[in-house]
Structures are given as structure tokens and as C-alpha cells.
Amino acid sequence: MSEHSQAEGLHRGLKNRHIQLIALGGAIGTGLFYGSTKAIQIAGPSVMLSYLIGGIIIFWIMRHMGEMLVDEPVSGSFSHFAYKYWGDFPGFLSGWNYWMAYVLVNMAELTVVGKYIQFWWPDIPVWVTALVCWAFLTVVNLINVKLYGEFEFWFAIIKVVAIIGMIVFGTLILLKGDAGSASGVGNLWNHGGFFANGLEGFLCSLAIVMFAYGGTEMVGVAAGEADNPKKTIPKAINQVMWRILIFYVGALLVILMIYPWNQLGVGGAEGSPFVQIFSKIGISSAAALLNVVVITAALSAYNSGLYTNGRMLYNLAHQGNAPAIFKKLNKAQIPVAGVLFSSFLMGLVVFLNYLIESQVFVYLMALVVSADIISWVMISVSHMKFRKAKSAQGEKTDFPAVWYPVTNYICMGFLAMVFALMGYMGGDWRISLYLTPIWLIVLYLGYKCKPQASEGSKAIMK
């Protein structure tokens, strides 16, 4: 069975508007709305530069993936390309690593939803909120892909409107002086300078910033269910850069001017910095509205992650890299076994929050960054091998990547630097660094233990 015909088993029920908003939903979530507090504390105002540089790297990686996708729009994309153009083990590793990354991401999303709810009801344990949201979104993902697309479309619309509204509203209160004497452009350099914690703080913030960009590649997994992938995928990928400028750099610029960066998270304050700021300057209605938005953002990211994981297992099963049960589709052509298995593991975070609530998010964030780095490196390497194969065949592609192969090497070098910085930062981040080689060994052993396909069947699958 070819990968193209595998993808046909999934229902192409995602329209252009769904694909555009899935790409946006993956790019805007907990990393900005919650994780940015830690990044701001480490880097000060220079965190905006961190998000910009990280965003450029991600855009280049997306273009690497996009060139392959437009040429071969399949579901579970980069696992397919690693498998086809690099080898059996890279395909196995790429698919299972990305699947695990999203299990961890979704655990983090459920955790922060509980923390956001505590803005209104501090006595409700995080694990209770996590349990309710986990059950609801699992059901949504089992109904049909169009319903998933509609949920994600409206979730993302809320995020977009809210961030633009926050930027406009924040700018207006700055111009009118309604934010108080502590506000102003001077906040970008008055509290220790733009690089308030020096080059060290700026560089270390990159690890947290890259957590925010995990999920931008989600449009690749949706490619197999796009009704016109050769048109919608380039459009979605090319819009990544301006989304980063507006939704990350623009939003952070406004909130850092409204309130001194060094007072965010003081006293162990939890929740989103966007909510904290409007609460601190006394605009409680804006704080409450933004809290609704950040809850929606986390639910959106979880919804997208569960969708992604079901399709990744479906693709792995067709490669022979996962049990055959994950090929199973329900009447709505949803990979039901993959969704349920992924959801079960994600639901374990309910118990983690019950046992060690205060530490869960930080541990998960560090593990996610390591898994994402592996995925992004594999996308860039697979793309280089893809281009070499096309060149050898004398074929040209319709959506060539930016400055190949220079950007491939730049991206891989940057990601290696981030990985090294995680070791330098120590603590929870270093634990993630130690676990990464163990995870790779586990994947290698899993690959060796699985039934190996015959050379003839490998040729058919490829």
C-alpha cells in the first residue's frame, strides 16, 4: 500500500479555512500565554528578540517541511519523509518521537488549564479541571474530522481576535496614560536594560521560547486531510512569519511596556502574564476576558495535539512501525484506536497533578523541548535527503525551501546550541538532557524488536 493511498483512507474533510487555523492554533498556545512568564524573568525585554530569532528558525524548518508536503501531501508527513528518503529507523524514530512529544505537550496543556481556572476558583485542584477537559476533548476527536476542524477553527479565531484586541487595547491605554505611572516605553530599558540579565539570560531564554513554537509543524500532519493541499499548505506556511511578528513579538512588546517586566511572577504568582498585567493595573474585566482566552488557547492546543497523535499512529501502523490496530478507522474515518491510546496516556497527567502539582509543568516543558528538537532536526535532514533524491531524478518541486541547504545547516546548528544551553541551565532542564539519550535507546530497541518487513513489502510501502 502506498503512502498516498494510505492517506486516502482518512477523510479529506478539512477546508482551506480549517488548515489555515490549524496552523495558527498550533503556533499560539501555552508557550506564549503561560511559558512566556519564565522566559521574561530570564531574559528581560530581550525576550522579544529571542522569540523573533526562534521564529525565523521555525519558519525555515516549516519551509523545509512544506516543500516535501506540497510534493507529497500525506498524513503523518515527516515520519513518512524520514522513512522514505532516509531509512527505516529514522522513519520509526521520527514518528514515535513526535507522537511522544505531543503526549507531553498535551499533558502540559491540561495542567495549565487547571492553573488558569484557579484565577477565579483557587480552591479547585488542577487535576479536577484536567480530568473534565480531557474527557470532553477526547469525545470531540472521536466524532468526525470536520467537527474537529470546526472546533479548532473557532478556538483559533478566539485567540486571534483576543490577541489583536489586547494589542490594540494595550496600545490605547498606553497612549492615554490609563495604565498608571509604571507604564511606558521606558520599561523596555529602565529595569536593568534591554538585555537585563546579559547575554547569558538572553541565550538561556531560547530554550523556553522554542517550547512555544512546538506545534507549528502540525499543518504537516493535517496535510492528508486537506481537500486542496497544494494550495492551502504553502499559504499556511508562508503566513507563519507575520503571525510570529504580530502574535509573539507584538503582544510581548505591548505587555512589557504596560508593566515592568521584573514584577511579573513576583511572589510565586501563577497564570498567564497577559492576565497578571491587566489584573495588576486594576482592569479586572480585561484580565477576566484574557483568562477566558488563554483557557481557550490551551484547549485548542490540546485538541490539535490529540488530532495529531491519532494520525501519527495511523501512519506508523501503515509503515509497519506500530501495531496494526492503529490502522483501524471508525465509521467517520477517524483513527479511533490511535486517538484512544494517545488520550489514555495524556490522561495520566491527571494523576501527576494529583501527586506533584507544583512541579509538573516545568518537567513537561523541558521534556517537550528535547523531543521537539529531535523532530525539527529530522525534518531538516529528511528535507536534505529529499532534495538530493529529487535532484538525482532530475525533478523540480513546486514550493522550494528558502536558501537550501544553508538554512538546513543553520537550523541544525541553532537547535544543537539550544540543546547545549539546556545542559548549562541545569536543574529540570538538565534532567531532560539526561533522559534524551535514554529515550533514543528505547526507540532503537523498540525498532529492533518489531517484526521487520521483507524487502518486497518495504519497496511497496515506499
Side-chain angles (χ1 to χ4, degrees):
M1 178 182 290
S2 72
E3 286 293 325
H4 288 285
S5 59
Q6 289 166 23
E8 293 306 316
L10 298 170
H11 177 55
R12 290 188 179 271
L14 297 179
K15 304 298 183 184
N16 176 56
R17 63 187 179 91
H18 295 140
I19 293 293
Q20 303 306 318
L21 272 297
I22 286 170
L24 187 53
I28 302 174
T30 297
L32 173 63
F33 288 128
Y34 187 82
S36 56
T37 297
K38 186 67 175 175
I40 291 168
Q41 290 171 338
I42 291 175
S46 67
V47 72
M48 293 184 293
L49 185 58
S50 298
Y51 274 99
L52 178 60
I53 292 173
I56 291 171
I57 295 296
I58 289 299
F59 174 67
W60 285 341
I61 293 172
M62 288 285 286
R63 286 297 301 262
H64 299 157
M65 185 178 71
E67 181 174 1
M68 297 186 289
L69 277 176
V70 171
D71 195 70
E72 298 177 43
V74 297
S75 189
S77 55
F78 34 96
S79 170
H80 161 72
F81 294 117
Y83 183 74
K84 181 174 181 177
Y85 294 100
W86 192 350
D88 293 356
F89 178 60
F92 181 92
L93 187 155
S94 180
W96 278 107
N97 178 73
Y98 190 64
W99 173 81
M100 179 54 74
Y102 255 99
V103 168
L104 295 169
V105 165
N106 274 12
M107 286 180 166
E109 300 295 350
L110 287 179
T111 298
V112 298
V113 169
K115 294 183 180 296
Y116 294 154
I117 290 295
Q118 289 178 339
F119 175 77
W120 293 303
W121 300 288
D123 295 331
I124 296 180
V126 169
W127 71 267
V128 172
T129 305
L131 178 62
V132 172
C133 295
W134 168 78
F136 172 69
L137 289 175
T138 298
V139 171
V140 168
N141 270 268
L142 290 173
I143 298 175
N144 64 57
V145 67
K146 189 173 182 180
L147 181 61
Y148 156 76
E150 286 299 325
F151 264 88
E152 191 54 34
F153 177 80
W154 291 108
F155 275 158
I157 283 288
I158 291 170
K159 286 190 285 189
V160 172
V161 171
I163 294 178
I164 293 174
M166 188 279 294
I167 292 172
V168 172
F169 180 64
T171 302
L172 288 175
I173 65 172
L174 280 167
L175 293 174
K176 293 171 65 178
D178 293 342
S181 59
S183 68
V185 179
N187 280 333
L188 300 179
W189 58 79
N190 284 342
H191 305 283
F194 184 74
F195 291 92
N197 291 321
L199 182 63
E200 178 184 1
F202 166 71
L203 289 174
C204 287
S205 71
L206 288 171
I208 300 171
V209 164
M210 296 314 289
F211 170 76
Y213 289 128
T216 49
E217 69 289 322
M218 189 179 303
V219 66
V221 183
E225 290 166 274
D227 65 350
N228 188 4
K230 290 186 181 293
K231 178 181 178 182
T232 57
I233 291 170
K235 185 176 180 181
I237 289 175
N238 280 333
Q239 289 176 351
V240 166
M241 200 64 240
W242 70 258
R243 287 168 179 162
I244 288 166
L245 288 171
I246 294 175
F247 297 113
Y248 282 86
V249 181
L252 286 169
L253 175 64
V254 170
I255 68 169
L256 289 173
M257 287 193 294
I258 289 177
Y259 203 73
W261 70 269
N262 57 350
Q263 294 185 39
L264 283 174
V266 172
E270 292 277 6
S272 168
F274 296 85
V275 178
Q276 286 184 50
I277 281 174
F278 283 100
S279 180
K280 286 177 181 292
I281 65 175
I283 308 179
S284 56
S285 58
L289 180 60
L290 279 171
N291 202 53
V292 172
V293 172
V294 296
I295 289 171
T296 302
L299 293 175
S300 165
Y302 183 91
N303 190 39
S304 293
L306 185 53
Y307 167 89
T308 296
N309 273 16
R311 275 70 186 169
M312 187 62 73
L313 288 179
Y314 175 82
N315 192 61
L316 284 166
H318 275 290
Q319 293 174 354
N321 286 331
I325 190 174
F326 294 126
K327 295 180 185 178
K328 182 177 175 59
L329 301 175
N330 64 11
K331 291 181 180 179
Q333 295 176 297
I334 304 293
V336 61
V339 170
L340 286 174
F341 180 64
S342 301
S343 178
F344 169 74
L345 290 183
M346 293 167 187
L348 295 178
V349 80
V350 174
F351 298 101
L352 289 176
N353 275 295
Y354 179 77
L355 297 172
I356 50 169
E357 178 181 317
S358 62
Q359 293 295 105
V360 170
F361 182 77
V362 178
Y363 286 139
L364 290 171
M365 182 165 59
L367 290 169
V368 167
V369 173
S370 291
D372 281 339
I373 286 174
I374 294 171
S375 291
W376 293 329
V377 167
M378 297 202 75
I379 289 171
S380 284
V381 174
S382 297
H383 173 254
M384 293 175 73
K385 293 182 177 297
F386 163 87
R387 281 291 291 263
K388 287 178 181 177
K390 293 296 176 182
S391 178
Q393 296 164 8
E395 297 180 11
K396 291 186 178 181
T397 57
D398 296 327
F399 188 48
V402 179
W403 302 332
Y404 161 85
V406 175
T407 54
N408 298 71
Y409 290 116
I410 292 174
C411 291
M412 289 186 282
F414 176 85
L415 293 171
M417 180 190 71
V418 171
F419 201 65
L421 286 168
M422 291 169 64
Y424 176 77
M425 290 166 70
D428 305 319
W429 293 94
R430 190 169 292 168
I431 292 171
S432 174
L433 201 67
Y434 295 152
L435 288 175
T436 299
I438 297 174
W439 169 235
L440 293 175
I441 291 170
V442 168
L443 286 175
Y444 182 73
L445 292 174
Y447 170 74
K448 284 297 184 182
C449 292
K450 80 179 184 72
Q452 299 298 314
S454 67
E455 292 303 316
S457 62
K458 286 180 184 178
I460 290 171
M461 285 190 288
K462 289 190 178 185

